[in-house]
Amino acid sequence: MTILRGFLLVFFPFMFLNSSSAIAFSNNVVSLGAKPDGKSDSTKAFETAWANACGSIRPTSIYVPPGRYYLRSVTFNGPCKNNAIFIRIDGTLVAPSDYKVIGNSAAWILFRGVDGVTISGGIFDGKGSGLWACKNSTKTCPSGATTIEISNSKNVVLSALTSLNSQMFHIVVNGCQNIKMKGLKVLASGNSPNTDGIHVQLSSDVIILNSKIGTGDDCISIGPGTSNLWIENIVCGPGHGISIGSLAKDLQEAGVQNVTVKKALFSRTQNGVRIKAWGRPSNGFVKNILFQHIVMDNVQNPIVIDQNYCPSHKDCPGKASGVKISDVTYQDIHGTSATQIAVKFDCSPTNPCSGIKMEDVKLSYKDQIAGATCSHAGGTATGSVEPSSCL
């Protein structure tokens, strides 16, 4: 707890700032009919606010005052007549308690085809626990809705917002350019299924900063077609860590390149930094990846490359992964492993990992140097590396 508390104080000063701001807002959702009682359907008022803002030829804003606002699935479509829409949320947006209402929607709140939108503040309560219970039973359940999806958009900022208890993924960035997320809190139960914190795919120039993420799945997952992704100052836990993949879902698949994960704390997570691919043919790739300045606190699998990924252990492809993994650097990674093997490189026999670099890595298990296993991995280890590299 001392490590975590210190990390929060150093890397999360924004949590202690006054969130009030003297900004004049031109579209107040309450003035447009929204009811801050958490029960009345406010969807129409939000749609009207967006239509007004998107139709304005001048920069404009939307304001959500304090209170609780019940929303069904809503889509905010672009392109708009201006590229400077500021959405300030001082209240809480509440999804339907009955998971069936939005459970078959791809997203609860979708921004599609927008340019120059900033969403600041607010709590997004996905009310996902009912669907989680359904999925953990023998019932037939909907797949669930992502809480916030940014799709085919550019120049979008998500700032200082909180996402709670999403049915599925909390935040998805899909087919976008120049997206910045900062000061986010993403929270769900550690046993909630498929509640990834932030998922990025088919997108470039994405930045994720100064955020705390704890869910039942990956804190951050990085899908095919991601390039120029910068992740810095992250507290992750509970969850499955930060993962590139899973990849090789398809034979024709875009690669992942130029990803930096810097200054992160993983606390009691299933994994730390992970690259995962199914054991099947694919033309995908992973290259130019940097994991740097990372603390592991009792993490089950701190450093993982798994090219035989098959979480259910049923109907596994059982073939050699076609994904080519190269130029992955692990630098200044310290802390404790919850298992004896802290480093696992299980690479493809037909496409071995190459250019793996380990520098100043020190991981312990029960006050002893942890172990490492390598298969079909090549690279170098420099400086102090404990466990001893098997590259």
Side-chain angles (χ1 to χ4, degrees), residues 273 291 303 305 328-331 333 345 357-359 361:
V273 291
F291 300 111
I303 296 174
I305 296 178
V328 182
T329 299
Y330 303 89
Q331 187 178 67
I333 299 178
F345 293 143
K357 299 175 184 177
M358 301 188 74
E359 179 182 355
V361 175

Side-chain angles (χ1 to χ4, degrees), residues 246-307:
S246 59
L247 304 177
K249 293 179 181 178
D250 301 303
L251 176 61
Q252 301 295 324
E253 187 175 83
V256 175
Q257 59 188 325
N258 303 333
V259 175
T260 295
V261 178
K262 185 175 182 179
K263 295 181 183 175
L265 169 65
F266 296 86
S267 183
R268 301 180 181 275
T269 51
Q270 184 186 86
N271 307 287
V273 291
R274 176 170 60 158
I275 301 172
K276 54 181 177 175
W278 294 85
R280 62 166 65 100
S282 173
N283 68 345
F285 63 85
V286 176
K287 65 181 181 181
N288 297 330
I289 311 298
L290 173 62
F291 300 111
Q292 184 185 58
H293 307 320
I294 291 170
V295 175
M296 304 287 180
D297 174 22
N298 204 30
V299 174
Q300 292 181 38
N301 305 290
I303 296 174
V304 181
I305 296 178
D306 181 5
Q307 290 200 256

Side-chain angles (χ1 to χ4, degrees), residues 43-55:
T43 309
K44 182 63 176 177
F46 278 73
E47 290 174 337
T48 300
W50 176 258
N52 292 345
C54 190

Side-chain angles (χ1 to χ4, degrees), residues 7 12 39 56 58 64 69 92 129 135 149 161 163 168 170 182 190 198 225 259 268 306 322 325-326 336 349 355 367:
F7 194 92
F12 293 92
K39 299 177 182 179
S56 170
R58 290 191 289 266
V64 181
Y69 300 85
T92 298
S129 59
K135 289 183 175 182
E149 180 176 345
L161 63 81
S163 178
M168 271 275 287
H170 284 78
K182 58 183 181 178
I198 300 172
V259 175
R268 301 180 181 275
D306 181 5
I325 298 174
S326 62
T336 55
D367 297 322

Side-chain angles (χ1 to χ4, degrees), residues 143-190:
S143 58
T146 290
T147 288
I148 303 170
E149 180 176 345
I150 313 297
S151 178
N152 300 314
S153 299
K154 59 184 179 180
N155 306 319
V156 174
V157 176
L158 302 182
S159 174
L161 63 81
T162 298
S163 178
L164 300 176
N165 301 327
S166 182
Q167 289 189 353
M168 271 275 287
F169 292 6
H170 284 78
I171 299 170
V172 168
V173 175
N174 176 44
C176 295
Q177 296 82 44
N178 192 26
I179 308 297
K180 186 172 185 179
M181 291 167 273
K182 58 183 181 178
L184 308 187
K185 288 191 282 188
V186 181
L187 304 170
S189 167

